[in-house]
Amino acid sequence: MFLHRVKNGDLLAYISVFFAVFSWALNWIVGRAMKDDIGPVAMGFWRWFIAFLLILPFCWREMQSKWSFIWAQRYQLCLLGLLGAVAFNTFLYVGLQYTKPSNASLINTAVPTFIFVLSYFVNKEPIRKLQILGLLLSTIGVGVVVFRGDLSLFQSLTFNAGDLWILLAMSFWATYTVLLKSRSVGVSPLLFLAATLMFSLPFVVPFYVWEYSVRGGFVVNPQTIATLIFYGTVPSILAYMLWNHGVTTIGANRTGIFVYLMPLLTISLAVIFLGESVFGYHAVGAAAIFFGIWLTSR
């Protein structure tokens, strides 16, 4: 049955979701590296403002021709923009200012559970036994990676205010993913992203002004410019369009389980760019994660 669905076009959706998650894992690496250079609200604001400016010329004509439809859907588009872009990313960047990477990776694994529960109540998507088994197996795999195969580390794990910000961010993302399944159609994916940003970005401005008054701005140099351009393109435009395609094609539950790849991909990227080491527990955790995803995808 799984191969039959792949032949019908689902393979592209799975590949799209994988690369979306990969882009966000890379976003975590950059976010941690630049947390002292750019404020979290500034990160979120400029990331999406740049993305909006880049995609607007490509959907301007469609926006003009379908403006009455977009305006009629303004509340729904604003809500999706706040949940999936503005609030989610801003809270994520705030959390990364304070919490440990291991804590953030562990909390990130709550997203599939949130999606499963919300999908059941909102979209009436059934939760099957194989999906539950895959969810549990992937959770175990993430635990192996996060705790480095040593259960004693769980006792020393402490939580702080940053963890709460991360948890809230993940709940926003899960809600966005579930509501995305039932969104109104009638516009292209590019226009949909532009419209959600257009209605939601103004809500960030007061918080940006507050952060600027408290923390000050950031130094404009090649490093910060390159960071913001990266934020505004790869994890924003590209990743969100890939993720949205996955949700609308294979559903929120199957898409959401790919979040379990985040800790694994983040560690892999840290090995490549930060020179960290790979150990045996990484392979064990990776095997459990991939097998869990395969079960859920069935």
Side-chain angles (χ1 to χ4, degrees):
M1 184 179 297
F2 177 72
L3 292 177
H4 174 70
R5 283 199 296 267
V6 170
K7 291 179 180 179
N8 284 339
D10 288 357
L11 178 60
L12 180 60
Y14 286 113
I15 295 174
S16 298
V17 175
F18 173 82
F19 278 103
V21 175
F22 177 83
S23 300
W24 290 324
L26 189 59
N27 173 52
W28 280 44
I29 297 296
V30 177
R32 292 169 190 167
M34 297 296 294
K35 68 182 182 66
D36 296 327
D37 298 276
I38 307 175
V41 181
M43 278 187 182
F45 175 80
W46 286 108
R47 168 181 175 175
W48 291 112
F49 185 68
I50 292 174
F52 176 73
L53 292 180
L54 289 176
I55 63 179
L56 185 60
F58 297 97
C59 59
W60 176 250
R61 290 186 178 180
E62 184 185 3
M63 179 179 289
Q64 288 180 311
S65 62
K66 298 182 179 179
W67 177 250
S68 59
F69 175 81
I70 294 173
W71 183 252
Q73 303 292 325
R74 61 189 182 279
Y75 296 116
Q76 181 188 36
L77 293 171
C78 181
L79 176 62
L80 290 173
L82 288 173
L83 291 172
V86 174
F88 165 68
N89 285 280
T90 303
F91 280 34
L92 176 64
Y93 291 141
V94 172
L96 288 175
Q97 299 282 314
Y98 306 103
T99 192
K100 298 178 181 179
S102 58
N103 288 40
S105 298
L106 180 62
I107 295 170
N108 183 67
T109 61
V111 171
T113 303
F114 289 156
I115 291 176
F116 270 65
V117 174
L118 290 172
S119 294
Y120 178 79
F121 288 103
V122 177
N123 295 334
K124 308 301 179 183
E125 290 190 23
I127 302 178
R128 298 178 173 86
K129 293 181 180 179
L130 275 181
Q131 290 179 320
I132 296 176
L133 180 60
L135 188 71
L136 293 175
L137 189 59
S138 293
T139 302
I140 294 173
V142 170
V144 171
V145 173
V146 171
F147 298 116
R148 293 173 285 177
D150 187 358
L151 291 178
S152 64
L153 292 178
F154 181 80
Q155 300 176 352
S156 61
L157 188 67
T158 57
F159 295 89
N160 55 40
D163 299 318
L164 179 59
W165 287 101
I166 296 291
L167 184 62
L168 288 173
M170 297 310 156
S171 66
F172 290 151
W173 180 251
T175 306
Y176 166 79
T177 299
V178 173
L179 294 179
L180 185 65
K181 179 66 177 178
S182 58
R183 72 177 178 89
S184 299
V185 294
V187 297
S188 66
L190 205 59
L191 178 55
F192 171 75
L193 180 58
T196 57
L197 294 176
M198 179 178 61
F199 288 118
S200 60
L201 267 178
F203 289 92
V204 188
V205 176
F207 298 97
Y208 188 15
V209 173
W210 172 82
E211 181 185 80
Y212 186 86
S213 65
V214 174
R215 177 171 175 161
F218 58 88
V219 178
V220 179
N221 54 40
Q223 187 177 12
T224 56
I225 293 175
T227 298
L228 294 177
I229 292 176
F230 165 78
Y231 278 155
T233 53
V234 178
S236 301
I237 300 174
L238 177 63
Y240 269 70
M241 292 186 67
L242 293 175
W243 180 269
N244 293 352
H245 173 71
V247 173
T248 54
T249 303
I250 59 177
N253 285 350
R254 292 195 185 112
T255 304
I257 197 69
F258 276 76
V259 171
Y260 280 114
L261 289 175
M262 279 289 292
L264 182 63
L265 292 174
T266 302
I267 292 174
S268 300
L269 291 171
V271 170
I272 297 173
F273 294 105
L274 303 179
E276 297 185 5
S277 302
V278 178
F279 299 97
Y281 62 81
H282 288 134
V284 175
I289 291 170
F290 279 111
F291 189 56
I293 290 175
W294 179 77
L295 286 177
T296 306
S297 299
R298 291 177 59 86

